[in-house]
Amino acid sequence: MTLSDKAVAVLNSIETGDQQAISYINPKEYTQHNLAVGDGLAGFGAVLQALPEGSAKVNIIRTFQEGDFVFTHTEYNFFGPKVGFDLFRFEDGVIVEHWDNLTEKSAQLNPSGHSQTDGATQAVDIDKTAENKALVNDFVNTILVKGEFDKLADYFDGDHYIQHNPQIGDGVSGLGKALEAMAKQGIKMVYSQNHKILGEGNFVLSISEGTFADKKSSFYDLFRIENGKIAEHWDVIEAIPPMSEWKNKNGKFGGL
C-alpha cells in the first residue's frame, strides 16, 4: 500500500470501523494537532467512541502526497456535516503525526454556483511540483501576508479563477468584491504567518495562521495551478480555541 492508501484507510475507518486501518498509526508515537482531540491513539479512539453509532460519514474527494506527507480534502458527517483538510506525517510507513482544519459544510452553493469541494481532483504536471509550490509560496507571502494587493494580477490569468469559498464568487473581481464587502462590515482577514507549503503536481496546499473577524484562526488554502497561474481555490478557515480548551499541548501548527 502507498502512504496515500494508508491515510485514506484511516479516514475511512471513522465510518467503517475497519480495525486493520489502526495498524497504519504508530501506537507509541502519534502526535495530534487537532486541539479538540486528546493526544495519541487513545485520543483518537475516544472521539470515535463519542460519535453516535452509525452517524459518521466520510467522503474523501482529493488525496495528494509529498514525501512523507499525505494531505486530503474530505466531506464528513462528524458531529454534523463538515468539510476538512487532513495532513498526515509518516515515519517508516506508519502515521506519527496529524494536523487538520474543519469547518461546517455550507448548505448553499457560492455566488458562482460552486460547492466547497467540487472541481478537479487528479494531480497532473508532477514535474512542475517545485515550480508550482514556489508560485503559491510567493502568492501567500506577498498578497496574503504582506497585503501587496497591487501585485494581485501577477498570479492570475486575467479574471479566470474558479473559487470554492462559500461566500466568494469566481474571478479576481469576485475576490475583490468579497474583500470590499467584508471591509464595509468591519470584518478583517489577516494572514500573519505561513507555516507550510506542500504540493503534488498542479495542486498546492498552504497552511497559515492569522485572524478572521478578530479571532485567532487557521487557514488551509488549496490551489490548482494551470500554465503557471492560479486557476482554482478551495479553503477551510477554523477558529483556534483558547489554550484553556485544548485537549493536547501540541499546538495547531506544532511541527510544521
Side-chain angles (χ1 to χ4, degrees):
M1 295 178 71
T2 66
L3 300 186
S4 292
D5 290 338
K6 292 176 180 179
V8 166
V10 167
L11 289 177
N12 281 331
S13 73
I14 296 171
E15 177 178 346
T16 65
D18 176 20
Q19 293 300 303
Q20 175 64 30
I22 301 303
S23 69
Y24 307 141
I25 300 175
N26 188 321
K28 296 180 180 178
E29 180 189 348
Y30 179 55
T31 304
Q32 176 65 258
H33 296 278
N34 181 317
L35 302 176
V37 179
D39 210 12
L41 266 181
F44 181 53
V47 170
L48 297 185
Q49 290 175 1
L51 284 166
E53 187 174 352
S55 68
K57 301 294 179 186
V58 177
N59 179 25
I60 300 168
I61 309 296
R62 298 174 179 82
T63 305
F64 305 105
Q65 180 179 342
E66 182 188 333
D68 291 328
F69 289 94
V70 173
F71 56 97
T72 61
H73 191 195
T74 304
E75 294 177 342
Y76 291 102
N77 193 324
F78 193 74
F79 301 110
K82 291 182 173 61
V83 172
F85 289 101
D86 288 271
L87 173 61
F88 300 93
R89 183 174 68 83
F90 287 77
E91 282 184 6
D92 300 322
V94 292
I95 297 169
V96 294
E97 201 160 7
H98 170 254
W99 302 258
D100 66 359
N101 230 37
L102 296 168
T103 191
E104 300 297 324
K105 185 177 181 180
S106 177
Q108 290 86 33
L109 300 178
N110 75 4
S112 294
H114 303 300
S115 76
Q116 288 158 286
T117 58
D118 64 355
T121 59
Q122 300 300 314
V124 297
D125 300 331
I126 303 302
D127 59 319
K128 296 181 179 178
T129 298
E131 177 185 330
N132 291 334
K133 285 178 62 182
L135 172 72
V136 168
N137 183 67
D138 192 45
F139 172 78
V140 170
N141 285 292
T142 300
I143 304 298
L144 301 180
V145 176
K146 296 178 183 177
E148 298 177 11
F149 291 106
D150 57 312
K151 299 178 181 177
L152 197 60
D154 296 347
Y155 301 94
F156 299 92
D157 178 17
D159 205 34
H160 300 292
Y161 173 49
I162 301 170
Q163 175 66 260
H164 294 272
N165 181 291
Q167 310 301 325
I168 304 175
D170 284 350
V172 180
S173 57
L175 179 61
K177 289 176 183 176
L179 292 174
E180 184 179 340
M182 284 167 51
K184 287 181 179 178
Q185 298 174 55
I187 300 173
K188 294 181 180 178
M189 182 169 61
V190 178
Y191 282 64
S192 58
Q193 182 181 358
N194 177 257
H195 287 280
K196 197 76 173 177
I197 301 285
L198 290 164
E200 182 183 358
N202 61 330
F203 281 88
V204 180
L205 178 69
S206 163
I207 299 175
S208 309
E209 72 173 297
T211 59
F212 182 69
D214 297 323
K215 294 180 180 179
K216 286 187 177 182
S217 298
S218 171
F219 299 95
Y220 278 50
D221 293 277
L222 179 66
F223 300 92
R224 182 176 63 83
I225 312 304
E226 190 175 288
N227 299 322
K229 301 290 185 179
I230 295 172
E232 197 163 6
H233 170 252
W234 302 259
D235 68 341
V236 167
I237 303 171
E238 181 182 335
I240 301 173
M243 288 185 67
S244 60
E245 297 178 16
W246 293 8
K247 293 191 177 180
N248 65 66
K249 299 179 181 179
N250 302 317
K252 187 72 173 173
F253 309 98
L256 293 177

